Amino acid sequence: MKLILDSEGKINYDNIDKNSTVKDLLDAIDLFLKNNQLPCDKCEESCCKKSWSVEMDNVCVNRLAEGDNKLANEFVKNKLVKKRNYYREFDQYVVNKDKECIFITDENLCTIYDKRPIICRLYICSAKSYRYNVIRELIGSTYLKALILEDEIRNNNTDNYEKNPVLFAKEYDILLEDIFDYAEEEGWLYEEDREELYIGV
């Protein structure tokens, strides 16, 4: 898997197959950014400095808590707030902040960069193709929803143990196929649209 600039000058990927993982995409992003540096000091978006929500996922929280359920529970309670994801119709956790992300320094550096949320890893401050955005949204939503479910399970607030494929995940090594299966079950992806995500450019 490789990220490219397509004929419209938008970030796209060449192709994926049934064995492609979320980690493959993250590695492709890292390689693309290494070869096409986007300097933070010239970032026009500066999402981390604006009132945008910084969405937190379960792998990020589990890494920051070093796999300790008690620490993860405290992190969610003390650093995050629930916010409705109206696009996907579920609650999610976001960083509790007034303006700037609490993990960003005055120099605009991320203090948890190696453990930063999946949504930050997938976001590139440049024009992105429709299908890249589709995959980014499906991955992000799956991990965001998993954090809500994990928190409910940790606090014994649910009898609903739905089969989210990334529940209590420690890494981003899940197959994209599993993400797509879950997205179909949730009504986020239609079968006829799914095959288009595999077609190479």
Side-chain angles (χ1 to χ4, degrees), residues 8-190:
E8 296 179 353
K10 294 181 178 179
I11 293 169
N12 209 330
Y13 56 88
D14 54 357
N15 57 57
I16 59 174
D17 60 40
K18 307 291 183 184
N19 296 313
S20 297
T21 66
V22 173
K23 185 179 182 311
D24 292 334
L25 176 57
L26 296 177
D27 290 344
I29 292 168
D30 289 344
L31 183 61
F32 179 84
L33 291 175
K34 182 179 179 184
N35 295 327
N36 302 275
Q37 290 190 358
L38 302 169
C40 287
D41 61 345
K42 293 185 173 58
C43 175
E44 294 178 11
E45 297 290 335
S46 194
C47 300
C48 52
K49 294 277 189 178
K50 293 182 181 175
S51 57
W52 298 103
S53 297
V54 177
E55 302 167 325
M56 293 295 284
D57 64 273
N58 63 323
V59 173
C60 176
V61 170
N62 290 333
R63 284 178 168 180
L64 292 172
E66 298 179 353
D68 184 309
N69 278 336
K70 184 179 177 188
L71 290 178
N73 204 34
E74 289 174 5
F75 181 89
V76 169
K77 183 179 176 183
N78 298 325
K79 305 279 188 193
L80 308 181
V81 292
K82 272 188 187 175
K83 181 179 178 184
R84 188 73 177 161
N85 183 320
Y86 290 104
Y87 182 60
R88 296 288 184 212
E89 291 299 323
F90 64 85
D91 288 336
Q92 65 186 28
Y93 279 113
V94 300
V95 174
N96 189 6
K97 67 185 184 81
D98 292 324
K99 185 179 177 188
E100 299 176 4
C101 175
I102 61 174
F103 300 112
I104 297 293
T105 67
D106 290 338
E107 292 76 32
N108 214 30
L109 298 174
C110 177
T111 59
I112 59 166
Y113 190 78
D114 291 336
K115 298 177 182 178
R116 70 196 185 280
I118 188 76
I119 209 71
C120 299
R121 291 173 181 269
L122 293 170
Y123 189 79
I124 302 172
C125 299
S126 187
K128 295 166 281 294
S129 69
Y130 173 77
R131 71 187 197 141
Y132 177 85
N133 276 327
V134 168
I135 285 186
R136 180 172 69 95
E137 285 287 335
L138 296 178
I139 293 169
S141 295
T142 302
Y143 283 94
L144 293 171
K145 194 162 184 193
L147 178 56
I148 285 286
L149 294 170
E150 286 181 14
D151 187 56
E152 290 175 349
I153 291 167
R154 283 188 190 107
N155 292 292
N156 299 311
N157 291 335
T158 186
D159 293 325
N160 176 21
Y161 296 97
E162 73 171 57
K163 290 188 173 183
N164 183 303
V166 301
L167 208 57
F168 292 104
K170 304 292 185 243
E171 300 294 334
Y172 298 109
D173 53 3
I174 189 169
L175 291 172
L176 289 174
E177 272 284 282
D178 293 340
I179 298 279
F180 298 160
D181 287 344
Y182 181 68
E184 274 194 45
E185 289 172 18
E186 291 292 304
W188 302 339
L189 178 66
Y190 297 111

